[in-house]
Amino acid sequence: MTHQSMTAVEALAAFARRHTDGEAAQALVDEATRELTGRTVVRPEQQLVPLRFVLRRRRDISGISGLGDVADGVLWPDGTAAVRWRGEHPSTVHWDRGRASVEMIHGHQGATEIVFVDQDDEQPAPPSTAASGSAAAPLVVRRVLEHALNKPVPCPKCERTAPCRCIADRTDGRIDVVLGALAPWLTTSSGEAA
């Protein structure tokens, strides 16, 4: 039985701690948060950075915003996004469900795409230094991986990259995207590219 002043998350964590260790209980709460809110719990010790993007419009369906880079955005480490529109009447909107919401609302079925912008001072690390040793991956590799993890993957049933009503597992597509993004930094034990 839960105490009346406990939130649902606190009650879930207390229940989980009775059946498993604290780390596993926290992982369960974090996963429930991700599923229910669409955002990831980011801990202070994690070295995650926001990713900048633009909304690039190829067709102006509404006839209002024009063509080209019509908005600037930030994808926050927890998966939420903020978009600031350009033009005479700018506005800012925040999306708790991040990229999925931005694509669903502003993508206009492919007429507008999210294009991520790299930091000017980031240079790709040579494959030999990124793959050797046990040091943390360079920032550019982390960015490439985070971008790959957030890249839309087509549904194997209906081929849509936006959220759909199919109940299909996109895991294989996600793995292919991640491996493709990391391929330049992966080497085999003989030093050859993977």
Side-chain angles (χ1 to χ4, degrees):
M1 186 168 191
T2 62
H3 189 271
Q4 287 184 353
S5 64
M6 292 178 89
T7 66
V9 172
E10 291 167 339
L12 175 61
F15 176 79
R17 278 190 208 98
R18 284 193 296 254
H19 299 283
T20 187
D21 62 84
E23 189 175 316
Q26 189 60 57
L28 173 66
V29 170
D30 290 353
E31 182 63 21
T33 299
R34 190 190 62 72
E35 285 183 21
L36 294 171
T37 67
R39 64 179 178 79
T40 303
V41 176
V42 179
R43 305 273 174 236
E45 65 274 5
Q46 291 176 292
Q47 299 298 314
L48 301 175
V49 294
L51 298 174
R52 297 178 301 138
F53 64 86
V54 294
L55 289 181
R56 187 161 295 152
R57 187 152 285 166
R58 289 175 290 198
R59 264 182 305 131
D60 186 7
I61 293 175
S62 67
I64 295 172
S65 39
L67 302 176
D69 294 347
V70 295
D72 302 287
V74 176
L75 182 64
W76 300 104
D78 69 353
T80 61
V83 174
R84 175 79 177 162
W85 293 93
R86 298 178 179 186
E88 291 180 36
H89 305 284
S91 63
T92 303
V93 63
H94 178 82
W95 296 103
D96 287 335
R97 295 212 177 250
R99 183 177 183 157
S101 293
V102 172
E103 287 175 337
M104 180 66 76
I105 304 300
H106 303 297
H108 299 290
Q109 291 134 359
T112 304
E113 65 179 328
I114 293 176
V115 178
F116 282 89
V117 179
D118 291 331
Q119 299 292 333
D120 295 336
D121 60 343
E122 289 181 0
Q123 297 297 321
S128 59
T129 59
S132 64
S134 60
L139 181 59
V140 67
V141 175
R142 290 175 172 276
R143 285 271 175 96
V144 166
L145 180 57
E146 189 165 356
H147 175 69
L149 289 171
N150 289 306
K151 189 172 182 178
V153 173
C155 172
K157 289 185 178 180
C158 70
E159 302 286 319
R160 292 184 185 143
T161 55
C164 61
R165 294 179 187 243
C166 302
I167 300 176
D169 186 8
R170 298 184 189 201
T171 302
D172 288 342
R174 172 72 52 228
I175 291 170
D176 291 341
V177 168
V178 169
L179 289 176
L182 290 178
W185 286 277
L186 299 176
T187 57
T188 63
S189 58
S190 64
E192 297 176 14

